[in-house]
Amino acid sequence: MFSSRKLVAALALLASLGAHAAELTVSAASSLANAFSELGPAFEAANPGHKVLFNHGASGALLQQLTRGAPVDVFASADQETMDQAQTRGLVKAAQRRNFVSNALVLIVPAATTRLPKTLADLGQAPYQRIAIGLPASVPVGRYTQGVLEAAGLWKAIEPKMIGANNVRQALDYVARGEVDAGFVYATDAALLHGKVKVAFSVPTPSPILYPVAPLVASPHAALAQRFVDFLVSAPAQAVLARHGFGKP
């Protein structure tokens, strides 16, 4: 049975938690959705009284939301270019951004496909009429893809076959449903639908695919936002991210 002194202490603790409890909003690239859904409860358990809310989408679309004043505390992008733009616009500080994972670009085809393309040049052949590619203007995986195809001198031949995707998960779904003949996604996304898509081959990119994260300058929960960024590079969080297929930065 609670003594009066213990009861008062417990109520004081609850009042303290309530007074400082915050909802932390994290805008993060679509490819992070599964891993972050596991990391959210872990962060909350380590920070009692606080909640983490995730908003996933293409990094470019998330940046537009931030630019328009969306109430976000942390931004995690799938590429450096989008975070660079956020920094140029004064949304994040260079000193506070950190790379926390890496990923790889892969070419996938529907699981029922019996003939796999062996090279990027094969996509110019007749069997490949529809190819899912993230929209390069706003989807990092699309920019990586365009860069690789331009370097190979294939972009002009393959662009007319492009079925634009608003984010990497949409490109994955197009391939999984057999609505396209092939598609470019991250290795972590391809692994989610192992029975519905096949990885034809990994596609080397000119620069490594590194994901940066940073607290927003305008966050009203600056300390908690920084704590979430620090949490992502902690050993327990890195173990979760590795289990979802992400590499070290």
Side-chain angles (χ1 to χ4, degrees):
M1 187 174 180
F2 264 132
S3 67
S4 296
R5 183 174 297 176
K6 288 182 177 178
L7 179 59
V8 170
L11 290 174
L13 175 61
L14 288 174
S16 173
L17 288 174
H20 297 92
E23 285 191 345
L24 194 74
T25 301
V26 178
S27 282
S30 297
S31 48
L32 293 165
N34 294 69
F36 273 22
S37 69
E38 186 175 343
L39 289 173
F43 181 77
E44 290 172 355
N47 296 272
H50 300 299
K51 294 284 294 181
V52 183
L53 305 175
F54 293 112
N55 172 41
H56 292 289
S59 298
L62 297 176
L63 175 62
Q64 292 306 313
Q65 294 172 5
L66 299 179
T67 303
R68 294 179 185 130
V72 173
D73 301 292
V74 177
F75 179 41
S77 170
D79 68 340
Q80 301 295 316
E81 181 176 331
T82 305
M83 189 62 83
D84 289 346
Q85 293 178 36
Q87 186 178 317
T88 300
R89 297 176 190 182
L91 299 171
V92 301
K93 293 181 179 178
Q96 291 182 298
R97 61 186 277 184
R98 300 185 66 172
N99 296 328
F100 69 104
V101 286
S102 61
N103 212 335
L105 182 67
V106 297
L107 178 68
I108 59 173
V109 297
T113 301
T114 56
R115 180 182 175 186
L116 296 181
K118 298 187 182 325
T119 68
L120 291 174
D122 288 347
L123 297 178
Q125 298 177 2
Y128 306 103
Q129 294 300 314
R130 296 168 300 171
I131 302 170
I133 298 175
L135 294 167
S138 59
V139 186
V141 74
R143 276 199 291 278
Y144 290 125
T145 300
Q146 181 178 359
V148 166
L149 293 175
E150 284 179 340
L154 296 169
W155 177 245
K156 288 186 178 178
I158 293 176
E159 186 181 15
K161 300 182 177 185
M162 169 179 161
I163 303 298
N166 290 317
N167 56 63
V168 67
R169 294 294 170 87
Q170 189 174 49
L172 177 68
D173 287 341
Y174 285 159
V175 179
R177 294 196 296 259
E179 296 171 355
V180 296
D181 304 305
F184 290 88
V185 299
Y186 297 121
T188 52
D189 296 292
L192 295 173
L193 296 181
H194 180 66
K196 295 183 177 180
V197 304
K198 291 179 184 174
V199 175
F201 55 84
S202 295
V203 182
T205 52
S207 57
I209 299 174
L210 298 175
Y211 287 48
V213 62
L216 272 292
V217 170
S219 169
H221 313 297
L224 189 64
Q226 185 61 55
R227 207 180 305 164
F228 185 81
V229 171
D230 295 340
F231 167 71
L232 289 180
V233 297
S234 69
Q238 287 289 305
V240 171
L241 290 160
R243 194 162 62 247
H244 285 268
F246 290 95
K248 294 280 187 185

